[in-house]
Amino acid sequence: MAEDLCFFNKDIIIIKPPKKSPAALLRMVVLMLSMLSGVYICSICLKQLSSYAKPPKLVTIQLVYQPCQSAFIEPWEIPYVHFPKPSTYDRGECSCNPVRFFAILSMQRSGSGWFETLLNSHINVSSNGEIFSVKERRANVSIIFQTMDKVYNLDWFSSASKNDCSAAVGFKWMFNQGLMEHHQEIVEYFNRRGVSLIFLLRRNLLRRMISLLANSYDRDAKLLNGTHKSHVHSRTEAEILAKYKPTIDIKSMISNMKQLEEATVKALEYFMSTRHIVLYYEDLINDRTKLVDVQEFLRLPPRSLYSRQVKIHKGSLSDQIENWNEVNYTLNGTQYDRFLQQDYKM
């Protein structure tokens, strides 16, 4: 009986472990994966929070210089349109205002002073006068180039200088001021820098000769209260200067006229490859629409141009030349007798 009880007790004490089902294992795997995913997500969130806590990095933006452009510039104009950068000042808001370069090529007493005052009455034009009348500025080609560079860079200051937004800048240049001697180098410079030329010529060489001789006389006589003036701004002054009647050298008169014509032909030939326009003093007086042509040539907004200068020698040639009868007789029947006629009215 005792043995039976013992055996019974053994059966009661011995407990067999339950068998694991596949569903239980799957739940365990899912639990582990969920825990790992949670840890990974938390680590990412912590990194983002730490990055936001740091000050933001500065972003460096490099600006690329864009050249000035204008929708109103035609393709053929591009070589003649400039955006100068003066070394003596900053153009500021005018830095992208296009500028055209020009030069007035002429001879003394051909109306270039009067013509330049007309141009300078335009608010957008700065013509700086006869800059090469000073010999040191035309000593050699290098100095000539340096002088022109200063003008075209807008670093040349004169009474004609306008505001920073000038649309055309230039100067006067007489044929006998180094222009013809260095014409090859100067033509290359004009074409390289995109300079437009204005030839201002005078048809009536006899009238030019009168003006030249009278001006030369006044340089010594100083008829205006001891002051020499090449140009005047009142009728009273003009009448005083006009009282002097020069005597023309008959022997050299025709040869001088031939030399002037040859110089003009050479100048036109030398600078034919440049962009240029040819004007005549007489045409500007008789037809003011020629001034519109000049403004169009320089691509300027058209304006009414004016000058305060008063013409000195006007009227009949017989009243302006001391030895008129000799001059009249010498020129009659020659190729220059056309100069004896009245060619304009003032």
Side-chain angles (χ1 to χ4, degrees):
M1 184 69 178
E3 291 178 357
D4 293 336
L5 288 171
C6 183
F7 178 78
F8 175 77
N9 290 337
K10 285 180 181 179
D11 289 340
I12 294 175
I13 293 173
I14 296 173
I15 301 174
K16 294 181 180 180
K19 293 181 180 180
K20 294 181 180 180
S21 65
L25 290 174
L26 182 60
R27 285 195 296 270
M28 184 67 69
V29 172
V30 172
L31 178 62
M32 293 298 293
L33 290 175
S34 299
M35 292 175 63
L36 290 174
S37 298
V39 172
Y40 176 73
I41 292 172
C42 289
S43 65
I44 292 177
C45 292
L46 289 174
K47 286 182 180 180
Q48 290 179 346
L49 290 173
S50 63
S51 65
Y52 291 146
K54 295 179 182 179
K57 293 183 179 180
L58 295 177
V59 179
T60 303
I61 301 175
Q62 184 177 3
L63 296 177
V64 179
Y65 173 73
Q66 295 290 339
C68 298
Q69 295 180 350
S70 175
F72 302 102
I73 298 175
E74 298 181 17
W76 70 265
E77 291 185 85
I78 294 176
Y80 303 99
V81 175
H82 312 277
F83 301 92
K85 295 182 180 179
S87 59
T88 52
Y89 67 97
D90 186 358
R91 293 186 74 203
E93 63 181 4
C94 300
S95 59
C96 282
N97 189 77
V99 179
R100 272 80 172 178
F101 300 160
F102 70 88
I104 304 168
L105 307 188
S106 187
M107 294 182 181
Q108 287 85 353
R109 314 311 296 179
S110 295
S112 62
W114 168 71
F115 175 70
E116 191 175 39
T117 60
L118 290 170
L119 282 184
N120 276 325
S121 69
H122 196 295
I123 192 173
N124 300 119
V125 179
S126 292
S127 190
N128 294 275
E130 206 170 314
I131 64 175
F132 289 112
S133 61
V134 179
K135 291 183 178 180
E136 289 75 13
R137 296 174 187 162
R138 59 177 195 263
N140 54 57
V141 173
S142 297
I143 294 177
I144 288 175
F145 288 173
Q146 290 173 12
T147 303
M148 288 195 289
D149 284 342
K150 192 173 182 180
V151 172
Y152 293 135
N153 288 340
L154 304 183
D155 286 317
W156 189 279
F157 300 106
S158 70
S159 59
S161 298
K162 300 293 174 63
N163 56 43
D164 304 342
C165 289
S166 294
V169 60
F171 58 91
K172 288 194 307 179
W173 202 345
M174 302 296 106
F175 291 173
N176 62 352
Q177 294 174 349
L179 181 67
M180 305 292 277
E181 291 85 342
H182 306 289
H183 66 273
Q184 292 181 338
E185 296 90 344
I186 294 169
V187 166
E188 189 278 331
Y189 177 94
F190 283 157
N191 287 329
R192 174 169 51 85
R193 294 298 307 270
V195 180
S196 298
L197 305 185
I198 302 173
F199 281 94
L200 181 62
L201 309 175
R202 191 164 187 170
R203 286 195 177 95
N204 196 321
L205 300 181
L206 181 58
R207 286 187 176 274
R208 177 187 177 274
M209 192 175 293
I210 295 170
S211 180
L212 191 66
L213 292 172
N215 186 66
S216 178
Y217 172 80
D218 187 68
R219 194 174 286 113
D220 297 324
K222 296 180 175 61
L223 300 176
L224 298 175
N225 297 322
T227 302
H228 169 61
K229 291 185 178 181
S230 296
H231 308 97
V232 296
H233 299 91
S234 74
R235 289 185 178 181
T236 301
E237 291 178 331
E239 290 172 356
I240 293 174
L241 294 180
K243 289 179 180 180
Y244 171 73
K245 297 181 180 182
T247 300
I248 296 178
D249 185 359
I250 300 301
K251 294 181 180 179
S252 62
M253 179 175 60
I254 292 180
S255 62
N256 287 340
M257 289 179 177
K258 286 182 179 179
Q259 290 177 2
L260 292 174
E261 285 187 333
E262 290 172 357
T264 300
V265 171
K266 280 187 178 179
L268 292 173
E269 179 183 344
Y270 288 162
F271 296 92
M272 188 59 64
S273 64
T274 64
R275 179 176 184 262
H276 65 274
I277 185 175
V278 179
L279 301 174
Y280 288 93
Y281 172 72
E282 291 83 358
D283 293 343
L284 290 172
I285 291 177
N286 293 328
D287 184 3
R288 286 304 182 96
T289 62
K290 294 293 182 181
L291 295 177
V292 177
D293 297 340
V294 175
Q295 294 178 74
E296 290 179 355
F297 177 72
L298 294 177
R299 311 296 286 178
L300 297 169
R303 290 179 176 271
S304 178
L305 306 182
Y306 62 90
S307 174
R308 293 179 54 245
Q309 284 192 15
V310 178
K311 186 170 176 58
I312 298 171
H313 301 97
K314 55 185 179 179
S316 175
L317 282 170
S318 60
D319 296 332
Q320 301 176 40
I321 301 174
E322 185 67 28
N323 57 336
W324 165 249
N325 291 332
E326 290 181 308
V327 171
N328 185 44
Y329 177 80
T330 303
L331 293 181
N332 256 316
T334 70
Q335 59 181 323
Y336 302 115
D337 60 0
R338 64 185 184 277
F339 298 154
L340 300 172
Q341 306 303 316
Q342 186 75 22
D343 48 5
Y344 56 81
K345 296 180 181 180
M346 291 292 290

